[in-house]
Amino acid sequence: MLKDITLGQFFPGTTIVHRLDPRIKLLLTLAYITALFLAQGVVAYALMFVVVLTCLTLSKIGPKAVFRGLKPIFIIILITVVLNIFFVHGETVLLEYRFIVITREGLYNAGFMASRLIMLIVGTFLLTYTTSPIALTDGLEQMLNPLKKIKLPIHELAMMMSIALRFIPTLIEETDKIISAQRARGADFESGSLIKRAKAIIPLIIPLFISAFRRADELATAMESRCYHGGEGRTRMKVLKAQGRDFVALLLGAGLIVVIVYLR
Amino acid sequence: MHMLKTESLTHVYSSGTPFEHVAIYDIDFEVEKGEYLGIIGATGSGKSTFISHLNGLIKPTSGRVLYEGKDIHESKSFTRDTRFKVGLVFQYPEYQLFESTVFEDIAFGPKNMGLSASDVEERVLEAAGFAGLGDQLLKKSPFELSGGEKRRAAIAGVIAMRPEVLILDEPTAGLDPRGREEILRNVMNYKNAHGATVIMVTHDMEQLARAVDRIVILAHGKLEMQGTPAQIFSQDEALSALGLSAPKVTLVAARLRALGLKLPEDIYTTNMLCNALKELKQSKGKGESVRSNPGGDDHA
Ligand SMILES: Nc1ncnc2c1ncn2[C@@H]1O[C@H](COP(=O)(O)OP(=O)(O)OP(=O)(O)O)[C@@H](O)[C@H]1O
Ligand SMILES: [Mg+2]
């Protein structure tokens, strides 16, 4: 059941989106998010929608994977929609019953907020689906490199991030195993009151922490025995180099922002 | 009626993603009450996936699992009941202990069954007895135990539910010979005391030859062969094609035979080899020839 959380998971592939320079992809994601928040009106949203759809198609990510990715935030989307429908009050009243007032503006708002949220999530998925965590942190490290001048430990931060990303799937898998073992002994995580279910979580956390510490310890030993000593003098196996397609992608991203601003 | 039965059981992991993987495919399998069954197969052949279906932890992608003739996913309450009747000990179960004392950990299952405190205690003590855990260990934190003791505590946690079918996934992996023997004896004792069915996944061929009634071989997610240990281990070529092999002693006996000793073909355990060699020695004492071709070296 936890396997359904695909957040931060990488789907290997060889499409054009996969092959883009991770730095460019990071920039494009930033551009995309900016555009999303600048977007106003149906036309702009439709344009953003087309952009997302095109990227998904290009990177060959199936609708199944997208829906699975959206599942964990479904509740948040639902709450947003409900709040907007009932609490945003505008001019045109569509329905009025006692204290319930639904207006056209409320409905519009709900629709926009929901699509904005969905597109935001899908857009960031696109980045993690098509970029391996290693490439991602590499890209981030290089983009932030100038900050080393002001003594920020960029390499160490990037290393911490890649380790964290690397261990998300492992921890999920581990949790799944522990859940299975306890379900095999009759633990019930699915039914009962909220309090009862929350209580059932406690026995999960203990073995999970223990194994996380064990893993951290093992990893530290493994890194030390391979003489890891931080960023100083470290060279890379894969040196990032932007190519023609990367610049084209960057131009398209800039173009998108311009168009969205123009549509405001 | 069969105790447990599967009908064209298939499981696909991560279907609809690039990671899609058919872990088991079209498995028809059954086990009788009181049977001791061994499951073998190369790494990744789907053994763990398969046995997780037998107590309803994983839902089949297609096909059915029947417990005493009833589909275990028929209703939620029946699935849960099945979990208590089909006890499953996972691979490396020692990482899953979590309570503050060993006693509490073993009591987790019986408590979930809704038993009274005195019943729970009785179950725990009985299970600890089967697993060979002394009273002073029960008061300790599970994290203070040795690896082998942890493993036995985890097994006790499942035995405490008094399952009718006890399934163990490589219970002896990573233990020293004595730890292995102890666990196998614990399982055997439980089986004899309760007339339970036992299904054991293992890589230890000699242990299989010694204890089990029937062996099932999985390969690439399919049920490839099944039969008594003698039937299975006599098919040396088929076994090595699946990345498996007969017990070491069988191979030793075959070599000795090739060197000229008159040994029988069906030697699957060290004991059998010893007895065969003793017999050979006695017949030698009576002046009969023990070699079929003079020239080979007699190491007996
Ligand atoms: N949760 C999962 N998600 C995706 N694939 C999985 C999952 N669990 C197992 N698999 C895959 O299914 C196949 C069968 O795995 P399984 O654990 O059943 O093998 P096994 O026979 O128990 O191996 P071993 O002897 O190493 O324990 C493997 O190829 C594995 O990679
Ligand atoms: Mg396994």
Side-chain angles (χ1 to χ4, degrees), chain B residues 263-274:
Chain B
L263 288 170
E265 301 242 344
D266 52 347
I267 288 179
Y268 307 115
T269 68
T270 318
N271 260 346
M272 288 166 113
L273 182 61
C274 285

Side-chain angles (χ1 to χ4, degrees), chain A residues 11 68 182-183 185-186 210, chain B residues 17 19 80 105 112 143:
Chain A
F11 286 172
R68 225 196 328 257
Q182 296 188 358
R183 281 204 301 158
R185 291 206 272 157
I210 288 171
Chain B
T17 73
F19 301 113
R80 192 143 185 267
D105 207 287
N112 282 331
F143 305 107

